[in-house]
Amino acid sequence: QVRLVESGGGLAQPGGSLRLSCTASGRTFELTTMGWYRQAPGKQRELVATITTGGKTNYADSMKGRFTISRDNAKNTVYLQMNNLKPEDTAVYYCNARGATMFYDINNWGQGTQVTVSS
């Protein structure tokens, strides 16, 4: 199993910044992609950004230019630097870790961390 622990959420003012961290433990050797998703009240969970073990990144269009995802493979940690935050960024942010074995796919989620952007 894989355990994902997130941190760094909190309250920020519009235009401010937050840095989220997610550390994976357990059977991390099977993981290939880690990322961040978010879910606002009454809305579907949506992609924020993902990053592969090799460093290839993918961002949702609304996050490009403001958010940056990175990872430290040695520490099994993925980061999300969020700049120029907007009220619409308010959501619970979830860390995601994915991979595959010969017999099944792996898809794990963290507990989520609340990000609130308000003046």
Side-chain angles (χ1 to χ4, degrees), residues 6 18-20 33-40 44-51 56-70 78-83 85 88-96 98 109 113 115:
E6 300 131 316
L18 287 172
R19 183 177 176 85
L20 307 183
T33 303
M34 297 183 69
W36 294 93
Y37 293 73
R38 70 185 186 186
Q39 187 167 22
Q44 293 284 317
R45 186 172 299 184
E46 65 176 343
L47 167 73
V48 176
T50 61
I51 185 168
K56 181 177 177 60
T57 59
N58 181 47
Y59 296 91
D61 289 340
S62 63
M63 264 59 88
K64 292 180 180 178
R66 298 192 301 123
F67 293 4
T68 302
I69 189 170
S70 61
V78 63
Y79 306 94
L80 183 69
Q81 178 67 47
M82 303 186 293
N83 297 323
L85 286 164
E88 51 263 42
D89 294 321
T90 296
V92 177
Y93 285 70
Y94 296 92
C95 181
N96 176 252
R98 300 186 179 187
W109 297 90
T113 183
V115 171

Side-chain angles (χ1 to χ4, degrees), residues 12-18 66 82-87 89 117-119:
Q13 294 186 346
S17 298
L18 287 172
R66 298 192 301 123
M82 303 186 293
N83 297 323
N84 192 25
L85 286 164
K86 303 176 180 179
D89 294 321
V117 184
S118 176
S119 61

Side-chain angles (χ1 to χ4, degrees), residues 22-42:
C22 173
T23 298
S25 61
R27 298 184 179 182
T28 59
F29 61 90
E30 297 176 323
L31 301 178
T32 59
T33 303
M34 297 183 69
W36 294 93
Y37 293 73
R38 70 185 186 186
Q39 187 167 22

